[in-house]
Amino acid sequence: MKAWEKNVRTVVPYVPGEQPNQPGMIKLNTNENPYPPAPGVASALREMDAEALRLYPDPAASDLTGALAERYGLEEDQVFVGVGSDDVLAMAFMTFFHSGRPILFPDITYSFYDVWADLLRIPYECQPLDENFNIVKENYKKYNGGVIFPNPNAPTGIAQDLTDIEYIIQQNQDVVVIVDEAYIDFGGESAVSLIDKYDNLLVVQTFSKSRSMAGMRIGFAMGNKSLIKYLNDVKYSFNSYTMDRTALVLGVEAVKDEAYFQETTEKIIQTREWTKRELKKLGFHFADSCANFLFVTHEKYLARDLFEALKQKRIYVRYFNKPRIDNFLRITIGTGQEMQALVDFLKAYTAQ
Ligand code: PMP
């Protein structure tokens, strides 16, 4: 080891899902939306003036925070935006989990949480999900420096009742509780309604799933004004211009088209329910997902083998080689046609 290497901030990085680019592939591995963004996004993109890129964007991202505030019935200073919810969450970890006490999150959950904790030297304790993969709310009643969990949880897709979520927030009023609602628009009840009641609640959402804009990188947090101010203080101390001009314009267009958002979200929910029925017939088991993916296992076939066989057919799903979940596949809900192709393949595979 070189002398300077002793001073490096080392971390084992998060590994995002593959982004293959193969003709005819069916990509069900990173929970993207199979439908394009709202039509207004495409027209605004065409009308964008490259000349304007000469200038810095609005550091406060006011057009976007304003549009989101209006959509969610909040004040503009109750909304914070970032480069995808990953950026918002990383910023929130840095801002709020600073006590030196361990933060709490489920043992099976979004696998970025422990990476941010490691990166920022935040101690943490994982709380085991029960045997049906439900969050055990009583586990979050102990000494801690903050709490974070997704609702619906990833990669299980299970949504927790809002009363259970409120219980966790109530029990932890001396720390910040972050509810990561990346998948909330596909089912489950948002905790946004609790923001006025609890000043320690931060709700984080994203444009990557229900708003079909994973490639644009927009995420946002909603909460009490002072939480948002603290987040902004950290953001301005790190990078004032997180949101580029394109993201600001296109993000507003996506929020404005409520009808398109409702229509595409509903289509995905319908396709998810159809896929559940078909996979059940083929002997798959899974929790009742409220997200845009299913987390499935089969008694007879190993998840890893299925993953490889699907990949051979250029159907990409996600496999996590981790304790408790190494015989599961996470399958994103695509278009009806894509799910039909997946089901046809699995029908043939399980008939062998
Ligand atoms: N939270 C959860 C639970 C997720 O699954 C994801 C998607 N990988 C994210 C946050 C981050 O999504 P994005 O940065 O695209 O908003």
Side-chain angles (χ1 to χ4, degrees):
M1 194 189 249
K2 303 252 178 15
W4 58 263
E5 281 186 285
K6 295 196 187 89
N7 299 320
V8 168
R9 182 183 285 268
T10 53
V11 66
V12 181
Y14 172 76
V15 183
E18 266 183 280
Q19 290 298 341
N21 190 11
Q22 295 201 15
M25 70 172 175
I26 297 183
K27 191 170 181 305
L28 308 175
N29 69 330
T30 47
N31 296 342
E32 288 135 328
N33 196 307
Y35 302 109
V41 172
S43 39
L45 186 59
R46 278 193 299 273
E47 281 159 25
M48 281 202 76
D49 181 8
E51 159 75 22
L53 298 181
R54 200 170 58 73
L55 302 169
Y56 281 109
D58 168 18
S62 304
D63 289 350
L64 188 54
T65 54
L68 286 165
E70 197 180 319
R71 165 67 173 74
Y72 291 94
L74 300 168
E75 301 290 325
E76 200 180 313
D77 51 6
Q78 291 185 286
V79 182
F80 173 85
V81 289
V83 189
S85 52
D86 281 342
D87 181 50
V88 174
L89 289 165
M91 213 68 84
F93 269 55
M94 203 178 338
T95 310
F96 301 118
F97 296 160
H98 187 57
S99 66
R101 301 196 299 267
I103 61 164
L104 309 179
F105 49 81
D107 62 339
I108 300 168
T109 195
Y110 186 31
S111 43
F112 222 139
Y113 299 158
D114 56 348
V115 176
W116 286 314
D118 286 339
L119 175 70
L120 298 166
R121 311 303 189 235
I122 300 166
Y124 60 91
E125 272 174 24
C126 295
Q127 304 306 309
L129 298 181
D130 72 13
E131 67 282 8
N132 298 317
F133 289 163
N134 288 305
I135 287 178
V136 183
K137 62 178 188 293
E138 291 78 13
N139 284 352
Y140 296 82
K141 224 177 137 176
K142 58 175 71 144
Y143 173 81
N144 71 69
V147 174
I148 177 161
F149 56 88
N151 188 49
N153 196 8
T156 64
I158 299 174
Q160 220 61 41
D161 285 344
L162 199 54
T163 48
D164 293 346
I165 291 173
E166 183 163 6
Y167 174 90
I168 294 174
I169 302 164
Q170 222 162 28
Q171 297 298 326
N172 286 288
Q173 294 192 52
D174 56 344
V175 296
V176 173
V177 176
I178 303 176
V179 184
D180 175 356
E181 296 190 337
Y183 303 102
I184 196 72
D185 296 323
F186 303 105
E189 208 180 333
S190 174
V192 169
S193 59
L194 300 176
I195 283 175
D196 286 343
K197 206 165 158 192
Y198 299 99
D199 60 8
N200 62 321
L201 166 65
L202 192 75
V203 177
V204 177
Q205 294 192 5
T206 178
F207 282 48
S208 300
K209 322 291 176 183
S210 53
R211 295 188 189 275
S212 305
M213 289 175 85
M216 194 69 254
R217 313 305 298 130
I218 305 175
F220 56 107
M222 297 173 280
N224 172 275
K225 286 176 195 195
S226 61
L227 282 183
I228 300 302
K229 185 198 172 290
Y230 284 124
L231 265 178
N232 271 314
D233 287 348
V234 168
K235 178 198 107 162
Y236 284 119
S237 311
F238 206 78
N239 175 6
S240 312
Y241 305 106
T242 49
M243 310 306 289
D244 66 54
R245 283 179 170 269
T246 322
L248 293 179
V249 172
L250 303 189
V252 170
E253 288 302 323
V255 180
K256 277 196 329 209
D257 200 338
E258 185 65 24
Y260 183 82
F261 164 79
Q262 295 292 349
E263 178 195 323
T264 46
T265 307
E266 189 51 39
K267 270 205 283 198
I268 291 167
I269 293 170
Q270 296 294 332
T271 310
R272 178 187 71 206
E273 296 308 308
W274 177 86
T275 310
K276 281 181 188 171
R277 291 193 292 275
E278 294 300 314
L279 293 188
K280 210 162 262 172
K281 285 187 223 161
L282 299 179
F284 284 92
H285 297 281
F286 43 85
D288 196 19
S289 170
C290 285
N292 67 336
F293 55 83
L294 298 178
F295 196 52
V296 310
T297 187
H298 200 287
E299 280 162 20
K300 273 176 47 195
Y301 304 97
L302 290 177
R304 188 189 269 286
D305 294 346
L306 280 165
F307 171 77
E308 293 297 341
L310 283 160
K311 198 167 169 175
Q312 289 291 317
K313 291 282 170 203
R314 278 183 267 174
I315 301 177
Y316 291 88
V317 298
R318 189 93 192 254
Y319 172 71
F320 299 94
N321 192 7
K322 291 193 164 175
R324 293 187 77 186
I325 58 170
D326 60 356
N327 202 25
F328 283 79
L329 293 178
R330 192 195 67 189
I331 305 173
T332 304
I333 303 301
T335 60
Q337 218 175 5
E338 288 173 325
M339 301 321 279
Q340 182 72 60
L342 170 93
V343 166
D344 288 347
F345 173 82
L346 293 174
K347 232 179 233 173
Y349 189 95
T350 53
Q352 278 169 24

